[in-house]
């Protein structure tokens, strides 16, 4: 890893564009990260700017024991308060996205948002079942309305618990009850976290950190999980799909439209109307050969999972994709959108179009999204992009190179691929883990961060894990990193995976690194973990599983909320980079020792990928030992059931269909 320390990126196309930018004096976040070092006080959680007596900087040789703000807040209080606020912001962001999805479902069901339909009735019924809504004799619209209303009620619920809490293993639910962290309504938890961190309220680090657990649980088993489910209901539950990844997916002879942000509603409409003959003809009338849609950040993951739309990559590629000079329009909504794009776009012909009332930007064009005229707005955006095509110049760094991949691994499909429609279950995966064919499972998720060579930790860890027979599931920018590096094809299993994992992947025809979707789809990992527990053989709680969650290049508050909800769900979680609570050894101990004692999971910040790898493997082997599973030895497996191949599965389905 030493050799990458001085690099800005290991994404080859990004590197080329950065070089072009250097030669042409076009700067990006990569350059700003060099000239703007993090404030050492805020970086470690020692700055309190919660009231206007400060900001107070709690520094000094014995700051932990002696420093205090004007109000008397100690360093552990300040650090824990900052941490809790970050978790609350992360939860609010995912959950506000989920709320928008719920209202779209409601209006699709009532017919008010006529461009949206309920596409996945099977999933709708499944969700209705979980929400205890009777399905008998109801049209999909009636049921959709009831499901949407019930989910909307989860945001403002004052008492009781978030409905999806019961999807967790029983033992986990009891742990949450015991420690008083079962989330009530999502908004209530966010509001309470903001209240507790106001000047002069919660002054006990432990209590504050328990609130971080509670608000983050409202995110994982609330906002994120609702968002995933509603998106599947409206646009279809993903199944494997071919796609491509890299900034090099932009086309020289077509109108390139980048769909950037998070909420998939408008993006889905753009995908739908982009093939309408009128729109295609309009693009041609401007001299282009057609329209090329390209995803960016988590919107990319959403439209890739369901339509195979290629991704130009994650968070750090947004400015670089403008620097190609090939983007006619970049359409953005909310979250992870750098204000710098509108500035960099001024140097090219790219139009940046903001679409959410919640997220406007200086120097961008604002075309407000309204679900009542979603397709018309999508057409308006595409026409604007087409009109911009003749303004393209030769200016820009043009690289045409990309990697193929397979995405679309919903938890439903992962279950299906292990036995088909009739026998789908997590049994084969559990068996393969028990026999040591698969050593364990790791989730590599979250952002890119210009303080770390782009993609380097993601890619290093993913390849090292699969080499060691550890199955990798990935979402968000982590998935984009692996996709751009070409690691998300079944062929990778043959080339890079260890012998046991390779055998499993080849037998069922999957890559050893599975693309599970956008960041909100980390909820799919919670569901998979719960199913694995339910299936049996790997303990009776998520904390028993030989599994670890990692966000190696994180930067956002959402990532932190995700990390904490995995800890609260029983998982060991490692974040790359320095720690935002580094200043306080008291808080550090709470998020490791105390959380581990109470929840069976802990959160660590480790800025060395080699150490992340070693600690992950040690944790997985430790869980295997605790479960008394066969010791992992590469190439030596215990007895297990025979894995079903694709051919076996088809044969079985044919027989069952015939009988
Ligand atoms: Ni999630 Fe990070 Fe953003 Fe997606 Fe990427 S930066 S927390 S992965 S795009 S949300």
């Amino acid at each position: 890893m030493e050799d990458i320390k001085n690099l800005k990126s290991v994404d080859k196309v990004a590197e080329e564009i950065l070089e072009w930018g250097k030669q042409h004096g076009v700067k990006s976040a990569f350059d700003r990260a060099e000239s703007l070092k993090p404030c050492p006080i805020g970086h470690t959680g020692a700055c309190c700017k919660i009231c206007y007596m400060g900001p107070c900087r709690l520094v000094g040789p014995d700051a932990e024991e002696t420093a205090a703000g004007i109000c008397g807040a100690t360093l552990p209080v300040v650090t824990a308060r900052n941490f809790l606020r970050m978790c609350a912001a992360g939860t609010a962001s995912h959950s506000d996205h989920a709320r928008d999805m719920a209202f779209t479902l409601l209006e699709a069901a009532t017919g008010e948002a006529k461009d949206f339909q309920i596409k996945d009735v099977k999933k709708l019924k499944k969700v209705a079942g979980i929400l205890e809504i009777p399905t008998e004799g109801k049209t999909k619209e009636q049921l959709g309305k009831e499901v949407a209303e019930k989910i909307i009620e989860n945001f403002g619920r004052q008492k009781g618990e978030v409905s999806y809490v019961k999807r967790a293993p029983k033992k986990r639910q009891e742990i949450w009850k015991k420690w008083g962290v079962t989330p009530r309504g999502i908004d209530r938890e966010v509001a309470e976290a903001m209240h507790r961190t106001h000047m002069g309220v919660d002054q006990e680090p432990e209590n504050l950190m328990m609130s971080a657990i509670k608000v983050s649980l409202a995110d994982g088993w609330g906002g994120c999980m609702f968002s995933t489910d509603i998106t599947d209901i409206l646009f279809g539950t993903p199944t494997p799909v071919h796609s491509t990844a890299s900034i090099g997916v932009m086309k020289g002879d077509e109108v390139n439209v980048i769909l950037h942000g998070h909420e998939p509603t408008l993006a889905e409409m753009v995908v739908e109307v982009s093939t309408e003959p009128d729109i295609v003809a309009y693009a041609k009338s401007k001299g282009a050969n057609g329209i090329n849609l390209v995803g960016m950040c988590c919107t990319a993951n959403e439209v890739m999972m369901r339509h195979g739309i290629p991704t130009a990559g994650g968070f750090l590629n947004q400015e670089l994709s403008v620097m190609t000079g090939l983007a006619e329009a970049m359409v953005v909504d909310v979250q992870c959108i750098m204000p710098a794009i509108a500035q960099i776009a001024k140097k090219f012909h790219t139009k940046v179009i903001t679409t959410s009332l919640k997220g406007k930007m200086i120097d961008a064009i604002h075309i407000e999204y309204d679900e009542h005229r979603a397709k018309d707005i999508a057409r308006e955006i595409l026409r604007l992009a087409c009109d911009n095509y003749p303004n393209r110049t030769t200016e820009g760094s043009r690289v045409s190179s990309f990697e193929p991949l397979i995405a679309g691994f919903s938890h439903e499909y992962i279950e299906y691929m292990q036995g088909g429609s009739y026998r789908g279950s997590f049994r084969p995966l559990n068996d393969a883990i028990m026999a040591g064919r698969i050593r364990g499972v790791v989730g590599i998720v979250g952002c890119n961060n210009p303080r770390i060579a782009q993609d380097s930790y993601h890619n290093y860890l993913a390849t090292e894990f699969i080499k060691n027979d550890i199955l990798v599931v990935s979402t968000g920018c982590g998935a984009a990193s692996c996709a751009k590096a070409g690691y998300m094809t079944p062929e990778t299993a043959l080339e890079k995976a260890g012998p046991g994992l390779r055998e499993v992947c080849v037998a069922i025809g999957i890559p050893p690194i599975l693309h599970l979707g956008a960041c909100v789809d980390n909820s799919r990992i919670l569901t998979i973990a719960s199913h694995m527990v339910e299936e049996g053989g790997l303990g009776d709680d998520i904390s028993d599983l030989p599994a670890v969650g990692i966000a190696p290049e994180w930067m956002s508050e959402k990532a932190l909320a995700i990390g904490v909800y995995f800890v609260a769900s029983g998982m060991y979680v490692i974040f790359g980079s320095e720690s935002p609570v580094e200043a306080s050894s008291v808080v550090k101990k709470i998020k490791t020792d105390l959380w581990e004692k109470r929840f069976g999971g802990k959160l660590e910040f480790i800025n060395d990928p080699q150490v992340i790898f070693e600690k992950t493997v040690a944790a997985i082997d430790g869980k295997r030992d605790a479960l008394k599973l066969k010791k992992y030895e590469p190439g030596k497996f215990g007895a297990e059931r025979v894995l079903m191949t694709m051919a076996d599965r088809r044969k079985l389905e044919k027989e069952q269909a015939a009988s």
Side-chain angles (χ1 to χ4, degrees):
M1 284 305 285
E2 266 313 303
D3 46 327
I4 60 105
K5 287 253 162 75
N6 298 320
L7 292 178
K8 287 181 176 171
S9 174
V10 299
D11 170 339
K12 292 274 166 271
V13 175
E15 270 183 297
E16 265 189 62
I17 299 174
L18 283 168
E19 187 50 41
W20 182 92
K22 198 168 156 196
Q23 280 162 19
H24 292 79
V26 183
K27 293 198 166 159
S28 65
F30 292 87
D31 305 291
R32 295 189 293 274
E34 266 181 3
S35 55
L36 189 67
K37 293 295 169 210
C39 159
I41 302 165
H43 195 61
T44 58
C47 172
C48 181
K49 54 181 182 62
I50 270 165
C51 82
Y52 208 59
M53 292 189 284
C56 297
R57 295 171 293 171
L58 276 62
V59 288
D62 298 314
E64 183 109 49
E65 288 77 37
T66 57
I70 299 206
C71 69
T74 60
L75 185 54
V77 167
V78 165
T79 308
R81 230 164 26 186
N82 290 339
F83 185 88
L84 170 54
R85 279 219 165 171
M86 289 177 89
C87 293
T91 301
S93 306
H94 283 142
S95 303
D96 208 33
H97 161 170
R99 184 197 327 268
D100 282 347
M101 297 306 301
F103 277 106
T104 304
L105 175 61
L106 179 64
E107 299 207 331
T110 56
E112 285 161 83
K114 59 177 179 12
D115 294 334
F116 295 90
Q117 281 85 38
I118 291 166
K119 287 215 176 113
D120 194 336
V121 179
K122 193 171 164 199
K123 181 104 187 201
L124 174 69
K125 287 189 175 158
K126 191 169 137 195
V127 170
I130 299 166
L131 295 171
E132 294 172 26
I133 298 170
T135 56
E136 203 69 19
K138 288 178 189 160
T139 64
K140 66 176 182 179
E141 286 75 22
Q142 282 168 332
L143 197 56
K145 181 170 177 285
E146 287 179 46
V147 163
E149 283 169 345
K150 184 81 173 190
I151 290 175
I152 290 165
E153 188 229 314
N154 268 271
F155 290 89
R157 185 171 294 162
Q158 301 305 318
K159 290 192 173 167
E161 55 189 47
V162 166
S163 303
Y164 276 180
V165 159
K166 64 165 186 274
R167 292 175 76 167
K170 279 271 162 312
K171 195 168 166 194
R172 187 58 23 194
Q173 295 178 44
E174 281 156 24
I175 292 171
W176 293 337
K177 258 198 201 105
K178 176 175 173 198
W179 294 109
V181 294
T182 309
R184 298 156 295 185
I186 299 166
D187 295 349
R188 178 158 190 195
E189 299 313 342
V190 174
E192 187 178 304
M194 294 308 288
H195 178 196
R196 279 174 185 239
T197 51
H198 185 275
M199 190 270 144
V201 184
D202 200 349
Q203 332 268 16
E204 192 185 73
E206 193 183 300
N207 211 36
L208 285 158
M209 293 298 277
M210 289 300 273
S211 176
I213 291 271
K214 196 172 184 179
V215 77
S216 301
L217 279 172
D219 186 23
W221 298 86
C224 284
M225 210 172 267
F226 286 134
S227 180
T228 296
D229 278 355
I230 299 168
T231 309
D232 286 353
I233 290 170
L234 282 173
F235 307 125
T237 301
T239 55
V241 61
H242 282 276
S243 191
T244 48
S246 153
I247 295 179
V249 298
M250 312 257 278
K251 291 189 180 158
D253 58 351
E254 293 189 17
V255 175
N256 292 301
V257 179
I258 303 176
L259 303 170
H260 175 18
H262 284 78
E263 294 179 13
T265 32
L266 176 60
E268 279 281 335
M269 293 301 107
V270 174
V271 174
E272 275 198 31
V273 303
S274 67
T275 50
E276 286 178 354
D278 278 6
I279 294 286
V280 176
Y282 194 70
K284 290 193 171 161
S285 76
K286 301 290 172 183
N289 276 341
I291 292 175
N292 183 37
L293 298 182
V294 174
M296 173 69 63
C297 283
C298 276
T299 297
N301 295 319
E302 298 278 9
V303 290
M304 174 187 277
M305 291 287 279
R306 297 183 181 84
H307 306 284
I309 302 291
T311 180
F315 177 66
L316 282 180
N317 274 1
Q318 55 188 296
E319 288 170 283
L320 306 190
S321 63
V322 176
M323 282 159 71
T324 60
L326 291 172
E328 272 61 53
M330 181 180 264
V331 188
V332 306
D333 57 2
V334 289
Q335 301 170 23
C336 307
I337 295 151
M338 289 190 198
I341 52 172
Q343 301 313 311
I344 213 163
K346 283 194 211 161
K347 299 186 194 306
F348 302 87
H349 75 305
T350 307
K351 304 270 186 221
V352 174
I353 304 168
T354 53
T355 58
S356 168
L357 189 58
K358 296 174 203 165
K360 290 193 174 181
M361 194 189 294
I362 300 282
D363 292 324
I365 298 168
H366 187 71
I367 300 179
E368 199 149 309
Y369 168 67
D370 172 359
E371 62 268 35
H372 303 110
R373 346 180 267 113
K375 278 193 181 168
D376 284 346
I377 291 165
R379 289 185 194 105
E380 186 187 338
I381 286 170
L382 287 181
R383 281 174 189 271
L384 192 144
C386 294
D387 288 339
N388 199 23
Y389 183 76
N391 298 329
R392 201 190 272 182
T393 65
T394 52
E395 187 77 351
S397 168
R398 304 193 170 169
V399 194
S400 176
S401 136
F402 46 79
E403 292 291 335
L405 71 128
I406 297 184
F409 293 95
S410 56
H411 49 274
E412 285 86 350
Y413 189 82
I414 293 175
E415 190 163 0
Y416 167 82
M417 78 193 186
Q418 301 180 78
S421 306
Y422 299 94
R423 284 203 190 167
S425 80
F426 279 80
R427 196 67 256 153
L429 177 61
N430 281 20
D431 284 343
I433 292 173
M434 289 162 72
R437 206 174 288 269
I438 292 179
R439 191 175 188 173
V441 183
V442 162
I444 305 182
V445 307
C447 332
N448 285 123
N449 181 333
R451 307 261 173 230
I452 293 169
Q454 182 192 17
D455 297 350
S456 61
Y457 286 17
H458 283 294
N459 293 355
Y460 167 78
L461 289 168
T463 45
E464 285 303 303
F465 286 136
I466 61 172
K467 207 188 290 171
N468 285 277
D469 291 309
I470 294 169
L471 177 71
V472 174
V473 293
S474 193
T475 61
C477 293
S481 300
C482 290
K484 287 181 295 170
Y487 299 158
M488 283 186 160
T489 62
E491 292 73 37
T492 318
L494 287 173
E495 279 170 33
K496 296 196 185 323
L501 179 61
R502 189 188 311 143
E503 232 179 78
V504 175
C505 291
V506 169
I508 44 187
I510 54 163
I513 304 172
L514 297 176
H515 193 322
L516 262 57
C519 233
V520 288
D521 295 327
N522 282 316
S523 67
R524 296 194 200 275
I525 302 179
L526 293 177
T527 309
I528 291 167
S530 304
H531 283 333
M532 286 170 74
V533 171
E534 211 174 285
E535 190 61 53
L538 294 175
D540 55 6
D541 188 12
I542 295 172
S543 60
D544 296 327
L545 298 174
V548 175
I550 307 174
E553 301 179 28
W554 78 287
M555 62 87 200
S556 88
E557 293 166 317
K558 289 180 293 174
L560 210 56
I562 293 166
V564 176
Y565 72 62
F566 273 100
V567 171
S569 303
M571 237 182 245
Y572 176 28
V573 173
I574 307 177
F575 273 39
S577 85
E578 289 98 24
S579 162
V581 297
E582 189 57 35
S584 168
S585 52
V586 172
V587 175
K588 284 201 283 185
K589 267 187 127 172
I590 293 172
K591 67 170 185 50
T592 51
D593 302 10
L594 185 82
W595 281 0
E596 189 167 35
K597 216 163 98 207
R598 292 186 178 172
F599 301 106
K602 61 179 173 181
L603 176 62
E604 287 186 338
F605 294 85
I606 301 171
N607 197 10
D608 181 334
Q610 176 72 33
V611 179
I612 296 177
F613 172 74
E614 284 161 11
K615 291 194 99 172
T616 302
V617 170
I620 284 175
D621 287 348
K623 297 281 181 187
R624 294 187 64 89
D625 287 348
L627 287 165
K628 300 201 168 44
L629 299 181
K630 185 192 166 298
K631 263 226 158 356
Y632 166 78
E633 283 175 281
K636 291 189 187 156
F637 322 122
E640 66 182 298
R641 294 178 204 186
V642 180
L643 281 166
M644 285 190 111
T645 64
M646 278 285 191
D648 292 338
R649 200 156 65 215
R650 275 190 208 114
K651 196 170 151 229
L652 180 77
E653 283 184 9
K654 252 192 210 152
E655 285 167 9
Q656 278 165 329
S659 64

